[in-house]
Amino acid sequence: LRCDVPGCKRCVPSLALDFHTLAFSLIRDIVLQPLSSQPRAVFAKALRFMCSGSRSLRKHALAVQEAARSSGAMTVATVEQRAGKDIVTGIDFDVVYVPSLALKYSANEAPRDRNVWRNPFENPDERMRVAKYAPDESAEAPWTHNILLNKFSVSELHVLVCSREFRPQTDALREIDFAAAAWTMCSVGPSVLYYNCGNLSGASQPHLHLQVAARSAWEVRVHPLVHDAVCQAEAVGTAPALPFRHAVGATPELFRRACDTGEISAGSAGRLGVELRTLYASLLSHCGLDDALARETQLDLTEHADVRMYVPKLDEKSFNLVMTRDWMMVVPRSATQCGPGIDINGIGFSGSILAKTEEAISFIHDHGLTACLQAVSHPR
């Protein structure tokens, strides 16, 4: 997480937060040792603080996930992670081998008429629900988003921030969407957000959702390339080392502080929603995607509440959004796949590519991360 920017204040807090779990374990062990009363009291106080509500959603989500796996509601994937070194940028990247991903795509394509689909997010399985987000903390306030487990998760914790009412995945993101996403990220702990928009983005469900995966900053392999560019210029710009069209900007200070402390209210989430959407709008404009801010899709509803006729517009521009504690990045897309059927979504642009076959793994290692990403994006 080190960078060469003098006086950079982003690295140390993020680094410290990623040691949260390790510190928790160490302090717990020390408390159980026979210490004198004063040091024991100090460590006990620290332990109570770390057990308190700042990361309560993460603990609850892990408990829900364990129960969902035990009940069969959630798919337990066999995951093998293989490291690679990118030829162009020199950074490490990850190839995540998940053979069971083939099941995900076959499930999403049923029934055969792909214009008819069954929505898993509108009336979600309660075993998969982690929380409900409401912009008002009062008990009577209606919630706007469901926080659900990702049924096909390939990481320690991967949740989906889904609009409560059906909205197409290609519709414009609103301030309330960013508020729910910010609340989730800050409550879960070190994490990265992905959003796949459009037919070429790698999106697999048409119901509006953003993804939050628990990951430390150094697990986001492109972080050093993007982080240094953001530290050097607070305004929207590009990372010189990334050879495809994109735009990147620094996240608001309030968001970074909330990520560090884990303390975020509905009110502060609402303010963050405004600031994050403003940044998002600037990034889209920089990439020539201004139309994405005003998309509203018309739908024909069938007589069944959970089955809809949805025909996406093939001419809509596709893009991916990636956001960490420190930065937000938008990448316009030109294709869905590269090589032998390698699907790339927002996770790919963070430096991790999912592979379903050994052939795909060989292709990725032979060509490198940058070449794979260039094949599905636009030249600068």
Side-chain angles (χ1 to χ4, degrees):
L1 287 176
R2 295 179 180 176
C3 70
D4 298 325
V5 179
C8 176
K9 298 180 180 178
R10 291 195 178 89
C11 299
V12 175
S14 182
L15 177 64
L17 186 59
D18 283 320
F19 280 102
H20 180 278
T21 303
L22 175 61
F24 183 97
S25 176
L26 291 174
I27 292 175
R28 178 195 61 201
D29 292 342
I30 292 172
V31 169
L32 296 178
Q33 300 301 316
L35 302 174
S36 61
S37 59
Q38 187 173 359
R40 185 183 179 90
V42 171
F43 283 117
K45 181 178 180 180
L47 180 62
R48 285 195 301 273
F49 171 77
M50 299 182 87
C51 286
S52 64
S54 62
R55 301 296 177 196
S56 58
L57 183 64
R58 180 188 182 91
K59 301 166 195 172
H60 175 64
L62 289 172
V64 174
Q65 178 174 265
E66 183 62 30
R69 286 175 172 173
S70 299
S71 68
M74 185 176 177
T75 301
V76 181
T78 300
V79 178
E80 181 181 343
Q81 188 163 306
R82 305 184 187 181
K85 177 74 73 171
D86 186 50
I87 302 169
V88 177
T89 62
I91 64 169
D92 295 327
F93 66 90
D94 297 318
V95 180
V96 184
Y97 180 41
V98 193
S100 61
L101 277 179
L103 298 176
K104 172 182 177 179
Y105 292 101
S106 62
N108 287 337
E109 290 173 0
R112 291 186 177 181
D113 182 356
R114 297 193 62 184
N115 288 335
V116 180
W117 55 280
R118 190 166 294 277
N119 187 349
F121 300 154
E122 191 167 25
N123 296 296
D125 186 338
E126 286 299 325
R127 295 174 296 176
M128 302 292 285
R129 195 198 303 271
V130 174
K132 299 174 181 178
Y133 173 77
D136 189 329
E137 294 176 335
S138 64
E140 297 78 17
W143 78 94
T144 59
H145 291 75
N146 287 309
I147 315 301
L148 307 174
L149 292 172
N150 182 355
K151 183 175 182 178
F152 297 93
S153 175
V154 296
S155 62
E156 176 198 9
L157 180 62
H158 191 163
V159 298
L160 308 175
V161 182
C162 309
S163 61
R164 179 183 180 183
E165 303 296 335
F166 178 82
R167 288 165 51 203
Q169 183 74 354
T170 53
D171 272 13
L173 290 181
R174 304 169 184 171
E175 294 172 356
I176 190 64
D177 300 318
F178 280 105
W183 179 83
T184 304
M185 290 183 71
C186 295
S187 301
V188 162
S191 54
V192 59
L193 177 140
Y194 307 102
Y195 170 59
N196 307 314
C197 181
N199 293 279
L200 304 179
S201 69
S204 59
Q205 285 292 343
H207 185 128
L208 184 68
H209 65 284
L210 300 91
Q211 306 181 46
V212 175
R215 305 182 77 184
S216 61
W218 53 71
E219 290 179 294
V220 181
R221 297 304 189 180
V222 302
H223 179 79
L225 306 179
V226 179
H227 180 262
D228 287 352
V230 168
C231 288
Q232 292 175 24
E234 293 288 334
V236 168
T238 59
L242 300 180
F244 45 81
R245 189 187 307 170
H246 69 281
V248 64
T251 52
E253 181 181 354
L254 176 62
F255 176 69
R256 298 194 297 270
R257 189 163 60 245
C259 285
D260 291 342
T261 63
E263 301 294 342
I264 183 169
S265 65
S268 58
R271 292 191 294 275
L272 283 174
V274 174
E275 294 188 39
L276 289 171
R277 191 183 185 282
T278 299
L279 172 60
Y280 172 66
S282 298
L283 297 178
L284 290 176
S285 180
H286 193 278
C287 292
L289 296 170
D290 301 82
D291 64 308
L293 293 172
R295 292 179 183 171
E296 293 291 342
T297 306
Q298 299 298 318
L299 301 170
D300 292 325
L301 306 185
T302 70
E303 60 183 354
H304 302 291
D306 60 343
V307 179
R308 297 175 185 271
M309 299 294 292
Y310 175 63
V311 183
K313 296 180 180 179
L314 297 179
D315 59 345
E316 285 184 330
K317 295 178 181 178
S318 300
F319 62 91
N320 295 113
L321 165 69
V322 182
M323 184 172 75
T324 69
R325 168 195 180 273
D326 299 288
W327 47 264
M328 181 189 294
M329 179 169 67
V330 166
V331 182
R333 293 292 298 272
S334 63
T336 304
Q337 297 181 334
C338 73
I342 302 170
D343 294 281
I344 294 181
N345 57 19
I347 295 175
F349 288 95
S350 71
S352 298
I353 298 182
L354 305 180
K356 295 175 284 188
T357 65
E358 289 285 353
E359 181 186 9
I361 292 176
S362 298
F363 181 92
I364 297 166
H365 278 297
D366 291 344
H367 293 80
L369 172 70
T370 300
C372 291
L373 299 182
Q374 282 183 293
V376 298
S377 55
H378 297 275
R380 294 184 65 167

